């Protein structure tokens, strides 16, 4: 019942009823020494708002099962002495693009916690490749990257360029080496001149 209430109050208002900060996270954040991440279909799909009503059969039951199992493991001191398992569960609301945004937000949150920022361009190229493989339009991919990475997002032309290359069959997310002036130019002759 507690989980049901927790998810119910997170349902956003229909457009016009209030301001909504995007992305709206439907989440259960259970602290622990080890935190499991999950993306579940707790709410139904709805066209007028991000998420519809709770799915009583399946969605909320899967979440309840996961939290019950974690409670049982954490209550038994013989299983993991001195360690608790937590969970960070996000709701995809039965929408592919929203689920992807939630997954990116989860990854971004993990990186923030580990202090691995700034996020590298290669990570964004991986997201673009994922969008291509899942037939998500480039404009939607760019919007999701902007939501997830903010000011660190690749510019629009680069997102479209990488999207096109992945659409044409490119698999490697690494940037190709370019011809031109090397970033460093050290030779024995230059070192000797510098030392004098």
């Amino acid at each position: 019942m507690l989980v049901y209430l927790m998810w119910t109050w997170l349902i956003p208002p229909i457009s016009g009823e209030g301001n909504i900060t995007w992305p709206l996270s439907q989440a259960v954040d259970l602290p622990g020494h080890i935190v499991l991440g999950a993306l579940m279909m707790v709410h139904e799909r709805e066209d007028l708002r991000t998420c519809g009503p709770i799915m009583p059969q399946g969605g909320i039951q899967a979440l309840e099962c996961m939290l019950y199992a974690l409670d049982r493991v954490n209550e038994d001191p013989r299983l993991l002495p001195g360690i608790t398992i937590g969970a960070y569960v996000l709701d995809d609301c039965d929408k592919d693009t929203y689920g992807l945004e939630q997954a990116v937000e989860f990854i971004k949150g993990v990186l923030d916690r580990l202090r691995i920022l700034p996020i590298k361009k290669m990570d964004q190229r991986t997201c673009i490749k994922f969008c291509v493989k899942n037939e998500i339009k480039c404009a939607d991919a760019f919007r999701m990257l902007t939501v997830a990475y903010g000011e660190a997002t690749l510019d629009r032309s680069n997102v479209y360029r990488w999207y096109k290359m992945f659409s044409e069959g490119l698999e490697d997310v690494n940037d190709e080496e370019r011809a031109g002036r090397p970033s460093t130019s050290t030779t024995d002759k230059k070192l000797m001149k510098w030392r004098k």
Side-chain angles (χ1 to χ4, degrees):
M1 183 64 176
L2 175 63
V3 172
Y4 181 83
L5 292 172
M6 189 171 12
W7 282 101
T8 303
W9 75 268
L10 288 171
I11 297 176
I14 296 176
S15 298
E17 290 184 18
N19 295 329
I20 301 173
T21 304
W22 188 261
L24 180 71
S25 291
Q26 309 271 353
V28 170
D29 193 354
L30 182 65
H33 296 99
I34 300 169
V35 178
L36 303 176
L39 187 61
M40 294 185 173
M41 193 183 322
V42 178
H43 287 88
E44 294 176 4
R45 178 186 309 248
E46 185 160 313
D47 294 331
L48 297 177
R49 47 186 174 174
T50 306
C51 296
I54 288 179
M55 300 174 84
Q57 300 296 324
I60 198 74
Q61 290 175 350
L63 177 60
E64 287 284 1
C65 287
M66 179 181 183
L67 296 176
Y68 175 77
L70 290 177
D71 285 344
R72 295 297 305 226
V73 168
N74 289 334
E75 288 171 0
D76 190 340
R78 297 170 295 153
L79 291 176
L80 297 169
I83 297 174
T84 57
I85 299 179
Y88 188 67
V89 184
L90 293 168
D91 185 6
D92 71 1
C93 301
D94 194 22
K95 294 181 181 177
D96 295 337
T97 54
Y98 183 68
L100 177 62
E101 289 170 358
Q102 293 291 69
V104 169
E105 277 298 308
F106 173 76
I107 292 167
K108 184 180 172 192
V110 169
L111 293 175
D112 282 338
R113 288 179 186 170
L114 296 175
R115 309 235 191 284
I116 301 179
L117 295 180
I119 298 169
K120 298 178 182 176
K121 293 178 183 178
M122 189 170 70
D123 297 335
Q124 294 183 52
R125 293 192 294 262
T126 302
C127 292
I128 296 167
K129 181 179 175 183
F130 178 86
C131 289
V132 168
K133 297 237 183 233
N134 286 281
E135 300 177 358
I136 296 169
K137 294 178 183 175
C138 189
D140 291 333
F142 180 70
R143 183 177 56 81
M144 289 186 279
L145 288 170
T146 304
V147 167
Y149 296 104
E151 292 179 11
T153 304
L154 294 170
D155 62 75
R156 183 182 300 269
S157 62
N158 275 321
V159 171
Y160 278 76
R161 182 174 62 86
W162 280 99
Y163 189 94
K164 183 177 187 273
M165 290 190 300
F166 291 131
S167 296
E168 293 170 348
L170 180 69
E171 290 294 323
D172 190 6
V173 294
N174 293 304
D175 216 348
E176 293 179 6
E177 291 202 23
R178 299 181 193 124
R181 181 177 168 196
S183 58
T184 58
S185 171
T186 307
T187 63
D188 290 336
K189 187 177 178 181
K190 287 183 181 181
L191 284 175
M192 287 176 59
K193 184 178 178 182
W194 180 77
R195 288 180 185 153
K196 289 180 182 181

